[in-house]
Amino acid sequence: MLGLLHGRYAPFVVAALSVVFTADRPTVSVADAHLHVGDMLAELRAAGYGEVDDGDPPIPAGTGRDLCRHWAKVGWLLPQIEGDTEVYRLSAHAVGALEIAGRAGSKRARVSESRVRTLLEAVERLAQDTDPDVAVRIARLADEISDRQAELARLERGGAIEAVADERLLEEAENVLHLVRELPADFARVAESIKAMQRDTVTDLRQDVRPSGEVLREYLQRGRHVLESTPEGRAFDGAMHLIGDAGRIDALSTHLRTVLRHQFARRLDAVQQTELGAVGRRIQQGVDEVLAAQRQASHVITTQVRTHDPARDRQVDDLLRDVMSGLQAWLPGSRRADPIEPLRRLPVAEVARLRQSLGDLHPPRLPADLSDWTDEAEFAEEDLRAWGGPQYALLEEHLHAVAADGGPVDIAAVFDAAPPALRRPVDLLGLLEVAHSYGLTETGQVSAVDARRADGTTRRFAFGAVTTAPTTAPTTAPGRTETDDE
């Protein structure tokens, strides 16, 4: 901050940063910033401000890009990535320098009643918070209540509100603006302290000098409580208890509208009126900036912990050092307009050709012919049929035998009346398929049957009770063809 204010080109730097970065535009894309600063340099040089010994503030040499890169190098600008765009943001040092320059160049730089009263009230609150004497605090609260009640009684009796002189109101408004101008630098310091803690954390993690379990526990905890890890963060956390309440922000906006409607506000210039009306928005912007830095730090630290691979990190570091070494070796012998051949494809590993044959010159032999089986296939055991699928033909004959009188029959009763060879679980499904071909009628009841497998085990099935009325001429059941009958 002192380097910015005491530098040879301080007037130009302060003026340029004040024009490029405003309260409504805290970040500017890198290309726009280079173009804007370059245009200012061109206009000033065209007006003769860059001449030697002309008595005017000197203008630095170089282009807008060169100046912005230099300002970023000395810590006045912070390059960041927002989405897919690289942007500049003022550092806390630059914000503090602009604040000092603005305060020194303002119309008012004197001791006022409003500023002294603010100081006295702050000291009084400090003393009240420090003093642990209960009796003293009770007496003080009783005096405050008595004074407020006396003022309330006076107003209720028709007393008038004492008018405040416009000069005093103007002093108080200027004191408010003085306090507000300090907020952006405070918020920027908090955000930068969080980012510095993030960089230190990631650096320590990449060095891999401690066990992974210890690193994991420590950095995950710091990522969750990032605001509590720095003095600025703890101070901001305490202030959030006051400004984090939506009711306080709404009340602040209402108070500011009341102030701007008063006749004394006309004596403020346009810039002061704009700053006074934007107090709530500037506070909200500062809070959002700090919270965004907190979220980013937590995300970066957590991601680094989850994806931490010491071997890969060392490979990346070695690769970056090789790139920097190559650039240092190439830059001294290169010119400004020398083209750089881009790497259009990654190098291909040279792998020898794999063998595709064993070197046998004989043609491949055909497989031997299959044996000719002329005998019919026979089952090794007779009861293997019992493990097959539904016996549709026997089931249909059994269904017609049970329904010989032509009336509807219950499928569960038909299955229970079947011989043991037709009461397997698959035969229950087959019976339902056969009955479905004649049409089923639901009765609303639940039927239960006991099926028996070929090995003697039983299983009980329950299903919705249905009836069917088979026709006298059996039809081909599902899953069965005329060839099966034959």
Side-chain angles (χ1 to χ4, degrees):
M1 182 175 64
L2 294 178
L4 191 156
L5 293 175
H6 294 173
R8 180 185 179 189
Y9 307 112
F12 172 77
V13 176
V14 171
L17 294 181
S18 300
V19 171
V20 176
F21 299 92
T22 63
D24 297 330
R25 189 176 56 182
T27 59
V28 180
S29 66
V30 170
D32 293 343
H34 295 171
L35 182 62
H36 203 165
V37 176
D39 291 343
M40 285 189 286
L41 287 171
E43 292 180 6
L44 291 173
R45 289 166 181 164
Y49 284 93
E51 301 295 334
V52 180
D53 297 333
D54 58 358
D56 294 324
I59 304 302
T63 63
R65 179 182 180 277
D66 297 334
L67 291 183
C68 290
R69 293 297 185 186
H70 173 69
W71 295 344
K73 182 179 180 181
V74 297
W76 301 339
L77 293 180
L78 298 177
Q80 297 177 353
I81 300 296
E82 290 187 358
D84 297 333
T85 306
E86 186 180 9
V87 299
Y88 284 131
R89 179 188 294 273
L90 288 177
S91 66
H93 306 298
V95 173
L98 296 184
E99 173 203 339
I100 294 175
R103 187 165 62 246
S106 62
K107 296 184 298 183
R108 171 184 174 278
R110 61 183 184 275
V111 178
S112 64
E113 178 185 356
S114 176
R115 182 173 297 185
V116 173
R117 186 170 62 251
T118 301
L119 175 61
L120 295 177
E121 291 177 354
V123 174
E124 182 181 0
R125 285 195 300 269
L126 177 60
Q128 292 174 5
D129 295 338
T130 306
D131 190 358
D133 193 340
V134 178
V136 173
R137 178 164 297 189
I138 292 175
R140 183 174 60 251
L141 292 177
D143 293 340
E144 292 180 2
I145 294 173
S146 177
D147 294 340
R148 296 296 178 90
Q149 288 178 345
E151 178 66 14
L152 178 61
R154 187 184 68 83
L155 295 176
E156 290 178 346
R157 289 194 302 268
I161 299 177
E162 297 181 3
V164 182
D166 289 350
E167 287 294 334
R168 181 177 173 183
L169 295 176
L170 188 61
E171 289 181 358
E172 293 181 354
E174 291 175 347
N175 184 40
V176 171
L177 293 176
H178 170 76
L179 296 175
V180 169
R181 292 190 184 102
E182 297 178 354
L183 288 177
D186 296 337
F187 285 127
R189 291 188 188 96
V190 177
E192 288 188 14
S193 67
I194 294 175
K195 294 176 183 177
M197 189 275 296
Q198 167 197 326
R199 290 192 296 269
D200 296 340
T201 301
V202 174
T203 301
D204 293 342
L205 184 62
R206 289 176 63 89
Q207 290 177 354
D208 195 33
V209 295
R210 288 184 292 171
S212 300
E214 181 182 349
V215 173
L216 203 63
R217 287 190 298 270
E218 178 179 346
Y219 290 112
L220 282 179
Q221 184 175 4
R222 292 183 67 182
R224 296 190 190 100
H225 307 287
V226 67
L227 276 182
E228 301 176 2
S229 302
T230 59
E232 297 86 353
R234 288 191 292 269
F236 173 78
D237 192 23
M240 279 295 295
H241 291 293
L242 295 177
I243 62 179
D245 186 4
R248 290 181 182 270
I249 299 298
D250 294 340
L252 175 63
S253 301
T254 303
H255 297 334
L256 291 174
R257 287 194 296 268
T258 302
V259 170
L260 292 175
R261 285 197 301 265
H262 198 276
Q263 61 180 3
F264 91 92
R266 302 171 186 171
R267 301 179 58 180
L268 299 171
D269 56 33
V271 176
Q272 290 177 323
Q273 292 182 13
T274 302
E275 290 182 358
L276 195 60
V279 170
R281 186 172 70 253
R282 296 185 71 175
I283 292 176
Q284 189 66 39
Q285 288 177 351
V287 173
D288 292 342
E289 179 182 355
V290 175
L291 295 180
Q294 179 189 9
R295 288 193 297 269
Q296 182 181 6
S298 300
H299 174 72
V300 170
I301 294 172
T302 304
T303 303
Q304 179 66 23
V305 170
R306 290 177 177 174
T307 61
H308 178 54
D309 187 350
R312 185 185 59 186
D313 292 344
R314 285 193 290 269
Q315 291 177 357
V316 173
D317 292 340
D318 294 341
L319 178 60
L320 292 178
R321 280 194 292 269
D322 292 342
V323 171
M324 296 301 297
S325 300
L327 287 175
Q328 291 175 359
W330 175 78
L331 283 176
S334 63
R335 296 182 179 181
R336 186 179 185 87
D338 285 351
I340 300 176
E341 184 65 24
L343 182 63
R344 302 186 182 276
R345 64 182 63 183
L346 295 176
V348 180
E350 296 182 0
V351 181
R353 188 177 183 83
L354 298 176
R355 296 183 60 185
Q356 296 181 348
S357 65
L358 299 177
D360 189 359
L361 300 180
H362 297 283
R365 299 182 180 85
L366 296 177
D369 296 336
L370 295 177
S371 301
D372 186 11
W373 292 86
T374 56
D375 300 334
E376 294 184 359
E378 296 181 357
F379 290 100
E381 296 182 7
E382 186 66 24
D383 60 351
L384 288 179
R385 295 180 181 271
W387 295 98
Q391 306 178 62
Y392 291 106
L394 298 178
L395 290 172
E396 190 169 10
E397 294 178 0
H398 174 65
L399 176 62
H400 281 277
V402 174
D405 56 354
V409 292
D410 183 69
I411 297 300
V414 174
F415 184 79
D416 289 337
L422 292 180
R423 288 208 307 268
R424 300 174 301 161
V426 293
D427 290 326
L428 175 60
L429 297 178
L431 180 62
L432 290 172
E433 292 184 48
V434 172
H436 183 270
S437 63
Y438 296 110
L440 296 176
T441 302
E442 297 182 0
T443 63
Q445 303 296 325
V446 176
S447 297
V449 295
D450 293 324
R452 183 182 180 86
R453 296 188 178 92
D455 59 358
T457 60
T458 60
R459 187 173 182 182
R460 191 171 181 83
F461 294 93
F463 57 93
V466 291
T467 61
T468 184
T471 58
T472 54
T475 59
T476 302
R480 182 175 63 85
T481 62
E482 295 299 331
T483 306
D484 295 335
D485 292 341
E486 294 175 358

